[in-house]
């Protein structure tokens, strides 16, 4: 069962579209498949596992860098 989410200011954006090349879902340890996240806090906040934007162009507060040897890429495939 997911815990309580952090309390954010009303204008805080937990997940946003980002420029390609920086931190993004393609580089995150929680990327579980094309457009799918397995982070329980993301799922609780978002309402589903589905990542709403191409994974090379989306990042959220729950980002966790994946070790280089485990960088499977789904390249934002839907």
């Amino acid at each position: 069962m997911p815990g309580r989410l952090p309390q954010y200011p009303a204008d805080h954006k937990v997940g946003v579209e980002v420029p390609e090349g920086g931190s993004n879902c393609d580089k995150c340890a929680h990327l579980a498949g094309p457009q799918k996240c397995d982070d329980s806090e993301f799922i609780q906040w978002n309402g589903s596992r589905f990542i709403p934007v191409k994974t090379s162009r989306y990042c959220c507060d729950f980002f966790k860098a994946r070790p280089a040897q485990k960088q499977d890429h789904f390249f934002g495939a839907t």
Side-chain angles (χ1 to χ4, degrees), residues 40-53:
S40 62
E41 290 182 309
F42 174 81
I43 295 166
Q44 184 179 357
W45 168 77
N46 187 51
S48 77
R49 297 179 59 184
F50 181 74
I51 299 167
V53 176

Side-chain angles (χ1 to χ4, degrees), residues 1-75:
M1 176 166 204
R4 186 178 148 137
L5 289 176
Q7 296 298 303
Y8 299 108
D11 63 346
H12 179 75
K13 296 180 180 177
V14 174
V16 295
E17 190 167 347
V18 296
E20 294 209 22
S23 296
N24 61 48
C25 295
D26 280 345
K27 299 172 184 164
C28 184
H30 297 294
L31 185 64
Q35 298 304 124
K36 291 186 177 78
C37 180
D38 68 6
D39 182 77
S40 62
E41 290 182 309
F42 174 81
I43 295 166
Q44 184 179 357
W45 168 77
N46 187 51
S48 77
R49 297 179 59 184
F50 181 74
I51 299 167
V53 176
K54 183 178 171 186
T55 56
S56 64
R57 300 212 21 103
Y58 191 80
C59 196
C60 74
D61 289 355
F62 311 116
F63 175 85
K64 179 181 175 188
R66 183 174 4 180
Q69 69 272 20
K70 294 190 175 194
Q71 296 238 350
D72 298 327
H73 290 282
F74 298 104
F75 299 107

